[in-house]
Amino acid sequence: MMKKSTVVYPGFFDPFTLGHQDIVVRATEVFEEVVVAVAKDSPKVSLFSFPERFEMAVEIFKDRKNVKVDSFDGLLINYMKKNGDKVLLRGLRTVSDFEYEFQMAQANKTLDASVETFFMMTDSRYSYLSSTLIREIARLDGDIGQMVPKIVSQRMKNKKI
Ligand code: COA
């Protein structure tokens, strides 16, 4: 398959799920480099602080040479412009993701017409997952081992939620 340079995969990752991880790993088969861009300021109430979310992402991909973990604040499009990146990646789980993703892709396109958004279907094993669901299950002492990378379940155990 022909590979095309760098793709940016942005998100809050509060926390990072196996669904997110699966998208990143599959994207490395298509793109030379995948940049996981961890957003600093979450508009939602966050469980993990930015340094925690960042550190966990670094840990998850530490053995993958073609995955770089970076961070950004402010507009995503400005971050991309600064680095000369032109391709964005988002995962689509169900049809309900479409509306939000469509809006975001259109807004980003309006802000910078040279940036393209690519979508990958989330693996069906993970299409039901969301960070909110995981936070809820963990808070109620449920087992999230099948839903998140090991580092995340360890960190969640240590958190009093
Ligand atoms: N598997 C499992 N779950 C997934 C998933 C996948 N493949 N992809 C997304 N999710 C879930 C997450 O768990 C999360 O669940 P939650 O809503 O219950 O918390 C949700 O989908 C989305 O989270 P995530 O992918 O971490 O981040 P996001 O979609 O909230 O990120 C930004 C949005 C950061 C990319 C966007 O807000 C942004 O660009 N912000 C910067 C400011 C800006 O430029 N704004 C203008 C944008 S037009």
Side-chain angles (χ1 to χ4, degrees), residues 12-66:
F12 292 112
F13 308 121
D14 187 32
F16 217 94
T17 70
L18 289 181
H20 291 127
Q21 186 179 357
D22 174 70
I23 296 273
V24 173
V25 171
R26 283 162 52 210
T28 62
E29 298 292 325
V30 183
F31 296 92
E32 280 167 346
E33 181 186 49
V34 180
V35 177
V36 175
V38 183
K40 284 187 180 166
D41 324 300
S42 171
K44 316 171 204 169
V45 180
S46 61
L47 169 64
F48 289 105
S49 66
F50 163 70
E52 290 174 313
R53 290 183 284 118
F54 185 81
E55 268 170 44
M56 285 189 281
V58 169
E59 175 67 25
I60 292 164
F61 298 109
K62 67 175 193 294
D63 296 326
R64 289 189 178 269
K65 298 271 169 293
N66 48 356

Side-chain angles (χ1 to χ4, degrees), residues 3-161:
K3 294 198 172 193
K4 189 165 189 317
S5 58
T6 298
V7 71
V8 175
Y9 182 57
F12 292 112
F13 308 121
D14 187 32
F16 217 94
T17 70
L18 289 181
H20 291 127
Q21 186 179 357
D22 174 70
I23 296 273
V24 173
V25 171
R26 283 162 52 210
T28 62
E29 298 292 325
V30 183
F31 296 92
E32 280 167 346
E33 181 186 49
V34 180
V35 177
V36 175
V38 183
K40 284 187 180 166
D41 324 300
S42 171
K44 316 171 204 169
V45 180
S46 61
L47 169 64
F48 289 105
S49 66
F50 163 70
E52 290 174 313
R53 290 183 284 118
F54 185 81
E55 268 170 44
M56 285 189 281
V58 169
E59 175 67 25
I60 292 164
F61 298 109
K62 67 175 193 294
D63 296 326
R64 289 189 178 269
K65 298 271 169 293
N66 48 356
V67 178
K68 182 176 139 195
V69 177
D70 199 5
S71 64
F72 74 102
D73 53 11
L75 281 180
L76 175 61
I77 224 74
N78 289 347
Y79 162 79
M80 295 193 60
K81 220 176 256 175
K82 190 185 75 192
N83 298 316
D85 294 324
K86 295 289 176 203
V87 188
L88 259 175
L89 177 67
R90 297 286 294 167
L92 278 180
R93 290 165 297 171
T94 57
V95 73
S96 59
D97 279 347
F98 179 79
E99 215 166 322
Y100 173 59
E101 294 299 335
F102 178 79
Q103 267 189 329
M104 243 181 8
Q106 292 296 330
N108 283 329
K109 192 84 189 158
T110 306
L111 292 169
D112 185 343
S114 70
V115 167
E116 292 295 346
T117 305
F118 277 63
F119 295 98
M120 276 175 76
M121 298 306 295
T122 296
D123 189 297
S124 57
R125 283 174 299 169
Y126 308 123
S127 58
Y128 70 97
L129 277 182
S130 77
S131 299
T132 304
L133 191 87
I134 286 160
R135 292 195 296 267
E136 171 84 354
I137 296 170
R139 186 173 66 80
L140 299 171
D141 280 335
D143 182 6
I144 53 163
Q146 308 289 314
M147 303 174 187
V148 295
K150 201 164 257 149
I151 175 81
V152 174
S153 54
Q154 281 164 357
R155 290 281 187 106
M156 287 191 91
K157 265 186 206 135
N158 299 336
K159 253 194 193 285
K160 292 274 170 283
I161 50 173

